[in-house]
Amino acid sequence: MENRNEMEIDLLGLLLHLKSKIWIILLAAVVFALGGFVIAKATNSPVYTATARLYVYQKNVAPDGTAEVLDNSSLSIATQLLRDCAVIITGENVTGEVVGDLNLNMDAKALSKAVTVSYRENTRILDLSYTDTDPQRAADVLNAVCDEAAQQITKIMNVDAINPVFKASVPAANNSV
């Protein structure tokens, strides 16, 4: 003999009970939706990305003192030069000076990770970017990085010149984080 405790669920009765409490369900949904919206607006601040572009100028001189013709090996050397410049730009020599000069609320390693450096294939152009929650600070920091990098690279690598193609200006909001 089996002793089962079976319970029968009346679905129609359950739906009628939920229907009588629909105003509570809708009110809870609206309250939670508004709460989520307010929290999202309060915690998400816009971010601003400043961009700058630098031209790395290095004379190509042949061993006999004449101007060297650009060929594939020269372009390969230029690409390596840009890679070296990118390492110096994000190095602590540059970022440490910028943090000290601008009294930033971060250390040199944090700034080093925040600055992005890329280069365009077959050019001597470096693209730099820096993202911050304050648009003016984003531009100021990136311009300071460009200036300090130009000094450090010409001193360390004996590059002829680092010239800005364009400096960072105060950016518009990118998006919300």
Side-chain angles (χ1 to χ4, degrees):
M1 213 175 201
E2 260 183 62
N3 187 8
R4 285 187 171 175
N5 289 337
E6 291 185 15
M7 183 178 202
E8 188 174 310
I9 298 175
D10 181 17
L11 290 179
L12 185 59
L14 184 61
L15 289 175
L16 289 174
H17 182 70
L18 286 176
K19 183 180 176 189
S20 69
K21 304 292 183 189
I22 193 73
W23 65 272
I24 294 173
I25 296 169
L26 291 177
L27 180 65
V30 168
V31 167
F32 282 111
L34 286 174
F37 178 76
V38 168
I39 289 171
K41 276 298 198 186
T43 58
N44 287 344
S45 56
V47 294
Y48 303 88
T49 301
T51 58
R53 189 168 287 159
L54 299 175
Y55 176 72
V56 181
Y57 179 70
Q58 178 69 40
K59 289 180 186 171
N60 294 323
V61 179
D64 64 0
T66 61
E68 190 175 303
V69 177
L70 288 178
D71 57 4
N72 284 339
S73 66
S74 299
L75 290 174
S76 176
I77 291 170
T79 300
Q80 187 62 43
L81 176 70
L82 292 178
R83 288 181 185 148
D84 294 344
C85 290
V87 170
I88 291 173
I89 290 169
T90 58
E92 290 188 35
N93 287 356
V94 171
T95 57
E97 284 293 321
V98 172
V99 166
D101 291 347
L102 298 180
N103 295 320
L104 298 177
N105 192 18
M106 66 174 68
D107 63 2
K109 285 184 182 182
L111 179 58
S112 176
K113 290 178 183 177
V115 173
T116 303
V117 181
S118 60
Y119 58 91
R120 296 170 182 256
E121 195 75 26
N122 298 326
T123 70
R124 295 182 203 170
I125 304 285
L126 288 170
D127 292 319
L128 289 82
S129 64
Y130 175 73
T131 301
D132 201 312
T133 56
D134 178 6
Q136 185 63 53
R137 185 173 52 224
D140 292 344
V141 167
L142 191 58
N143 284 329
V145 166
C146 289
D147 293 342
E148 185 62 32
Q151 291 175 15
Q152 293 284 338
I153 290 170
T154 54
K155 182 173 76 174
I156 293 170
M157 296 177 59
N158 203 22
V159 170
D160 292 315
I162 304 286
N163 298 320
V165 175
F166 66 83
K167 288 199 159 227
S169 58
V170 179
N174 295 358
N175 55 14
S176 294
V177 175

